[in-house]
Amino acid sequence: MSEQMLKINKVDICTESFGNRNDPAVLLIMGAMSSLDWWDEDFCLRLADSGRFVIRYDHRDLGRSTVYEPGTSNYTITDLADDAVGVLDAYSIQHASIVGMSLGGMIGQILALRYPERVTTLTLIASSAFGTVMEKLPPMDQSILDHHAKSASIDWSNRDAVIAFLADGWKTLAGTKPYEQERMYKLAKREANRALQLRSRFNHAMLAGGDEYYDRMGEISVPVLIIHGTKDPALPYEHGLALAKAIPHAELVTLNGSGHEIHREDWAEIIDSVIKLTSR
């Protein structure tokens, strides 16, 4: 594992890479309010051991990347897509397979439309179609919104309380598979240790932009893999089905019982599916 701090689009972006630089590149893009830590290190290593050069990174307002004052809006989703390409540029990578989780999947869709020459394949995990179709799909479970509302009463100087809040957030996103409490607390501790300013994460709630890419998923020409759990409380399974319909040539992998998560029980199937896609 190798960490780098990069200057991209006039901001600092923290990245970590795994594996051999000569192997085909895979860029992992995490979802909203989630630092690179939630791409579990062991997951990244297993993907790298399968013959891929793997990069994960912190979005703005997360981890060790540039953070802004909590409660402010300073960038758009298109800026985040430009950040992703900036990461590839910094590593001198011309072409990469994109693997996006949730918001990361929507950023991936923009990448495939905005920079089609840079994207070789696109994997969308627990994501949704970027556009107006989302308005017709089942909404996020209220329990997730209730959990985020608790952030206003958290003492952000109390490390134990913050770690519990971060880990319990993933519990609200879990499906019917056993909640991985020990692993979630381990990752929450790592994020709490690395983060420059944890409360800035909520700036992602104000993220806007990208209107020019709405409802254009049918124009995506690269091979696409959609991976979605049947018990996703944040973006219910119907969102994955809508994506598969919007991108006619996409392959859909269904994870029975999985929620809005990358559950350890699913690692083998996810990694095998990504390797198969990126080997085309």
Side-chain angles (χ1 to χ4, degrees):
M1 182 175 67
S2 176
E3 179 181 289
Q4 290 190 52
M5 291 297 300
L6 307 174
K7 184 66 72 174
I8 296 171
N9 299 325
K10 299 181 180 180
V11 299
D12 294 325
I13 299 293
C14 181
T15 72
E16 290 182 345
S17 62
F18 305 78
N20 189 329
R21 282 178 173 265
N22 294 321
D23 287 336
V26 175
L27 182 66
L28 303 178
I29 307 178
M30 188 37 77
M33 294 187 279
S34 302
S35 65
L36 63 76
D37 304 287
W38 300 98
W39 291 111
D40 195 291
E41 182 177 324
D42 290 340
F43 176 92
C44 296
L45 288 169
R46 285 176 61 171
L47 186 54
D49 287 344
S50 298
R52 298 295 181 270
F53 180 57
V54 179
I55 303 170
R56 62 180 182 174
Y57 69 99
D58 291 322
H59 290 300
R60 305 185 196 199
D61 276 325
L62 292 166
R64 297 186 62 204
S65 291
T66 290
V67 294
Y68 301 93
E69 185 69 21
T72 64
S73 177
N74 299 277
Y75 49 86
T76 67
I77 190 172
T78 307
D79 291 325
L80 296 185
D82 291 344
D83 290 348
V85 167
V87 171
L88 297 181
D89 289 341
Y91 279 87
S92 299
I93 294 171
Q94 294 301 312
H95 316 282
S97 290
I98 305 299
V99 178
M101 164 79 178
S102 192
L103 171 69
M106 298 179 198
I107 293 171
Q109 293 170 59
I110 293 175
L111 284 172
L113 294 167
R114 187 172 175 85
Y115 301 99
E117 73 284 359
R118 306 297 296 275
V119 179
T120 54
T121 70
L122 182 61
T123 300
L124 310 172
I125 304 174
S127 192
S128 187
F130 186 68
T132 56
V133 65
M134 287 188 67
E135 300 170 3
K136 304 174 184 178
L137 297 172
M140 181 179 295
D141 191 276
Q142 184 62 41
S143 63
I144 300 171
L145 301 175
D146 292 343
H147 175 77
H148 287 307
K150 294 177 184 177
S151 66
S153 60
I154 292 288
D155 178 0
W156 290 91
S157 65
N158 183 328
R159 185 173 182 274
D160 290 341
V162 168
I163 290 171
F165 176 79
L166 294 174
D168 289 348
W170 287 92
K171 189 173 185 178
T172 68
L173 298 173
T176 56
K177 292 177 177 174
Y179 171 59
E180 300 177 279
Q181 179 168 311
E182 182 177 349
R183 186 167 73 90
M184 294 300 101
Y185 268 77
K186 177 183 176 182
L187 298 181
K189 288 177 183 178
R190 186 177 193 272
E191 180 176 22
N193 289 338
R194 291 181 60 255
L196 299 179
Q197 187 169 252
L198 279 165
R199 290 181 60 216
S200 294
R201 66 198 298 108
F202 298 105
N203 290 343
H204 281 200
M206 296 178 283
L207 189 64
D211 300 35
E212 64 270 36
Y213 299 106
Y214 274 11
D215 302 321
R216 291 177 54 189
M217 291 74 68
E219 298 176 31
I220 296 174
S221 58
V222 300
V224 177
L225 174 67
I226 298 165
I227 302 176
H228 216 105
T230 59
K231 298 297 181 179
D232 188 331
L235 294 173
Y237 184 58
E238 288 85 351
H239 288 255
L241 296 177
L243 255 181
K245 184 177 180 181
I247 308 175
H249 61 279
E251 175 188 355
L252 174 63
V253 172
T254 297
L255 302 177
N256 291 316
S258 295
H260 200 72
E261 58 191 336
I262 302 180
H263 199 285
R264 188 181 288 272
E265 290 185 10
D266 297 324
W267 284 9
E269 185 169 7
I270 292 172
I271 291 172
D272 289 348
S273 297
V274 170
I275 293 301
K276 180 181 177 181
L277 180 76
T278 58
S279 296
R280 292 183 183 178

